[in-house]
Amino acid sequence: MLKIHFSGEDILRTRVAPAADPVWELVLSLHALQGRNRDPLTAHWRRTVSQGLRQDVASEQLRLLFALSPPRGYFPDFLTPYASVDGFEAGLDALRSTPTGMLRRDLSVLAAENHLPPSAAALARGEVAVLHHLADSMVQYRSLAINPYWSRIQAAVAADRARRARALLDGGVESLLTSLRPAMRWDGGVLEIRNYPHSRELHLDGRGLLLVPSFFCADTPVALLDPALPPVLVYRVDRLGGLLSVDDTGASRSAAARESLAALLGRTRAAVLEASDEGCTTGEVARQLNISPAAASQHATVLRNAGLLVSHRDRNSVLHTLTPLGRAMLDA
């Protein structure tokens, strides 16, 4: 079990990452790609990416990256620098600047339970060329495994952020932390992750906690091993039906979905789309537009089938938020 201890100051400094973290998603997707868990929501993605790696003549360049990201157990803290909260390039810049001491320490921990290629020894010595090679490998892998699916990943994370924002507005940070159940339990100033692979206590000591919602995170939330690093906790979001690339989505769109898009010309559905801009429950949509809850639910279903909304049930209510496509249509 992992126990994260909060002071009053820590509660004030706890926040949710502003968007899907591209570096965390990349690294955790490597775990999903290599793992034995055949999640049906990522099965299509796994097949497509695996085929692309086999066909890519340069895939051998990814060997070190894969070795640093085993499907189970520890992986190096330096692979997911805190700076990635500001975007992919910021994360890569931080990776290229990793201190040699941190490289040596993290790789020693990893090598204790995993076989590493010879290039890992050069990496542990802090050789700049190897660090840059690793960053280039991440760019290469991202173009194949992440970029074609990024809008779907963003939509899932945005939907989760809307849920957390709602909890925060309704009950403050403690309500936000309580909303993370069932993967975590908030109890008397301590956030408990019961399925954590080993027993550990993390004291935030006034630094607060960055919560990172992630599409590719496994069922068990992830924390950095080094307690001196800025505290981060990555947790899994609802995957909203899985992953299809942009091309696959266009190719496989059903007749019902096409009909749903055509039906968006109605004023009421446009109003439902606008009402969902900051997240809105079915009941709130009904009250705001002066329509019945059944009608609000029906309109939301059409918008969801057209790929413009995502919906998440929490107890007795359903929260609707915009997808990137829905936001683009509303802005237009």
Side-chain angles (χ1 to χ4, degrees), residues 217-241:
C217 187
D219 292 336
T220 302
V222 179
L224 299 174
L225 180 64
D226 186 354
L229 292 172
V232 171
L233 187 67
V234 185
Y235 65 92
R236 179 175 172 174
V237 302
D238 188 327
R239 291 177 172 173
L240 305 180

Side-chain angles (χ1 to χ4, degrees), residues 114-323:
N114 297 272
H115 175 73
L116 300 181
S119 54
L123 183 62
R125 294 192 296 269
E127 293 189 12
V128 174
V130 182
L131 264 173
H132 282 256
H133 164 80
L134 177 61
D136 292 344
S137 298
M138 294 174 76
V139 173
Q140 177 189 344
Y141 174 81
R142 182 184 187 227
S143 68
L144 174 67
I146 302 297
N147 287 351
Y149 310 91
W150 187 238
S151 62
R152 189 67 171 174
I153 293 168
Q154 286 180 307
V157 170
D160 186 85
R161 275 179 47 82
R163 289 182 61 204
R164 307 310 165 193
R166 187 61 173 254
L168 180 65
L169 290 172
D170 288 347
V173 177
E174 291 196 339
S175 177
L176 163 65
L177 295 170
T178 300
S179 76
L180 296 170
R181 64 184 190 281
M184 295 169 259
R185 187 171 76 96
W186 172 253
D187 183 23
V190 179
L191 188 64
E192 298 179 347
I193 296 92
R194 296 194 169 185
N195 292 330
Y196 207 71
H198 56 271
S199 296
R200 181 182 167 197
E201 307 265 341
L202 175 59
H203 294 267
L204 299 179
D205 296 327
R207 296 171 295 172
L209 181 67
L210 177 65
L211 293 164
V212 180
S214 167
F215 187 96
F216 280 108
C217 187
D219 292 336
T220 302
V222 179
L224 299 174
L225 180 64
D226 186 354
L229 292 172
V232 171
L233 187 67
V234 185
Y235 65 92
R236 179 175 172 174
V237 302
D238 188 327
R239 291 177 172 173
L240 305 180
L243 282 183
L244 291 175
S245 71
V246 174
D247 292 339
D248 291 330
T249 301
S252 64
R253 186 181 297 278
S254 66
R258 288 194 295 271
E259 292 171 1
S260 295
L261 282 171
L264 290 176
L265 296 175
R267 288 186 178 182
T268 301
R269 288 186 184 131
V272 173
L273 192 69
E274 186 174 4
S276 303
D277 188 16
E278 298 297 331
C280 210
T281 66
T282 303
E284 289 168 343
V285 169
R287 290 191 293 272
Q288 185 172 330
L289 303 184
N290 195 29
I291 58 178
S292 70
S297 178
Q298 181 181 19
H299 290 310
T301 298
V302 172
L303 293 166
R304 183 172 62 251
N305 290 343
L308 303 180
L309 286 185
V310 292
S311 304
H312 192 282
R313 176 172 293 279
D314 186 7
R315 297 183 179 178
N316 295 325
S317 64
V318 178
L319 180 67
H320 309 289
T321 56
L322 298 181
T323 65

